[in-house]
Amino acid sequence: MGKVIYMFIFLYASLVCQAQFSAMTGVNFCKVRSSYLKNDRAAVGFQAGLSIAYHPVKNLKVMSFEHELLFNYKGYRQDLDKNYNLYYGYVSGSFLIKFKTGTIVHLRTGLELSELVYASVEDRYDTFNKTDLGVILGISFFESKPVSFYIRGSYGLLPMLDYYDIDAYGAFHGKIHDIRNNTLSLGIKYNFIQL
Amino acid sequence: MKHFYSLLFSFTLVTLFVCFSCTEDYVSDPLDPRLVMYTEDGSDVAGAMFNDQLWTSVLNVEFLFGGYIDEPKIRSYPSHDSIVLVFEGQMENAPSENYDIEFHLGDVSIDQISDMTSLNQRHILIDGLHNSCHVTGYTSGVPASQVTGHLYFRKVTPETMSGTFYVKIGEVMEISYGRFDYRLSVIDLDLR
């Protein structure tokens, strides 16, 4: 309920401040960071959602804040005796600071908080940690036009897995906190209201 | 005739009890999905790698008339001062054949199932003398002293038994990444 109220208040405040409301979709190129996964490979997913950007300071047009609410579909593959594919979905909320560097290019950076809502392997949904926090760094083009393009990287900070460290001989070496998301996204935005 | 139907009814009841009470909870390992995940919940599963071949536990139902049986996944035969643990399983590339891993533990004093908790956190060395291991199709003809390894009971409660194992059979076979997680119970089947 708190999240709904927050979103409503934010939407109202954004509109009062003449915000830019956008819908966005893109391709996720995912590669996890892991010290324990065997033969892991990259996987391709997607993202889709909404964003709202506004100037926090009226006369400071080179900087804006941006909030996003996305569904992120990510995953990874393992090539062992056969191919094992694992995909999972997050609902992500991000807070970004956007800098206008020229008439065409914007840079953005910020944080993305994600909640795991789906896994293609049902057991993994129960096994994996439900929350991820990532650092976002990106660049976008033609933000003042109805259609713009973006490239962004997301660097996951929190481990997806808490598990036993067991070697081939059955000896336990404590617990591991492993598998972190790295994602490169390429996408387009449809900007409904212009700043 | 009345006695026959009563016997048949009892037999059917036991069959249903055993079948419906025996469900595996197989979850693949999050790091290596070929293997079963290590758990301590009484999931009734076991798994290992036989060199590069995957071995996993199977669910069998067995009746010993006039004798003792336990949960079908493990057979434990208390014999004064030793026990035999049998993990029944199959190789992924030969699903129609059974490959059992038997641990004969001579240094273990178990008279009843409640004594199993004495194994908690215990490493047992497989040396072919006091404790030995037999694997279907791989240890016949191999001197017991050349079948070595260890069995680790990481967590044993009155209800569950979990741990890991490793076995080396001469120079030809290495059973690695062995893990097991079973519920413990005893069914005393005595049909008169």
Side-chain angles (χ1 to χ4, degrees), chain A residues 65-82:
Chain A
F65 288 167
E66 188 171 34
H67 296 257
E68 296 174 342
L69 184 64
L70 300 174
F71 177 77
N72 267 307
Y73 194 67
K74 304 182 181 181
Y76 61 88
R77 298 181 292 116
Q78 284 182 273
D79 295 336
L80 300 167
D81 56 329
K82 59 181 181 180

Side-chain angles (χ1 to χ4, degrees), chain A residues 36-38 76 78 80-81 84 121 123-124 127-128 161 163-164 166-172 176 178-179, chain B residues 26-34 36-38 40 92 150 152 154 164-166 174 176-179:
Chain A
Y36 294 89
L37 273 180
K38 296 177 186 289
Y76 61 88
Q78 284 182 273
L80 300 167
D81 56 329
Y84 293 87
V121 177
D123 299 330
R124 286 296 163 265
T127 306
F128 280 163
L161 178 67
Y163 188 51
Y164 302 97
I166 310 173
D167 64 20
Y169 305 102
F172 285 75
I176 62 170
D178 197 47
I179 309 180
Chain B
Y26 187 95
V27 178
S28 61
D29 190 281
L31 297 176
D32 187 343
R34 296 171 298 177
V36 65
M37 182 175 179
Y38 176 78
E40 295 176 348
E92 189 179 36
H150 62 260
Y152 176 34
R154 190 168 192 269
T164 58
F165 57 88
Y166 170 84
E174 186 180 43
S176 57
Y177 298 102
R179 66 274 309 267

Side-chain angles (χ1 to χ4, degrees), chain B residues 59-115:
Chain B
L59 182 65
N60 288 320
V61 178
E62 182 169 308
F63 295 90
L64 298 174
F65 292 93
Y68 290 92
I69 62 170
D70 64 359
E71 286 289 286
K73 279 75 67 181
I74 298 176
R75 296 197 301 273
S76 174
Y77 301 95
S79 175
H80 302 295
D81 59 351
S82 66
I83 64 172
V84 175
L85 288 182
V86 180
F87 297 130
E88 299 179 347
Q90 291 173 344
M91 303 292 284
E92 189 179 36
N93 61 351
S96 60
E97 300 172 26
N98 266 21
Y99 287 86
D100 299 343
I101 305 174
E102 287 186 22
F103 291 100
H104 296 239
L105 309 179
D107 291 338
V108 175
S109 178
I110 301 288
D111 289 324
Q112 51 190 348
I113 200 164
S114 59
D115 294 336

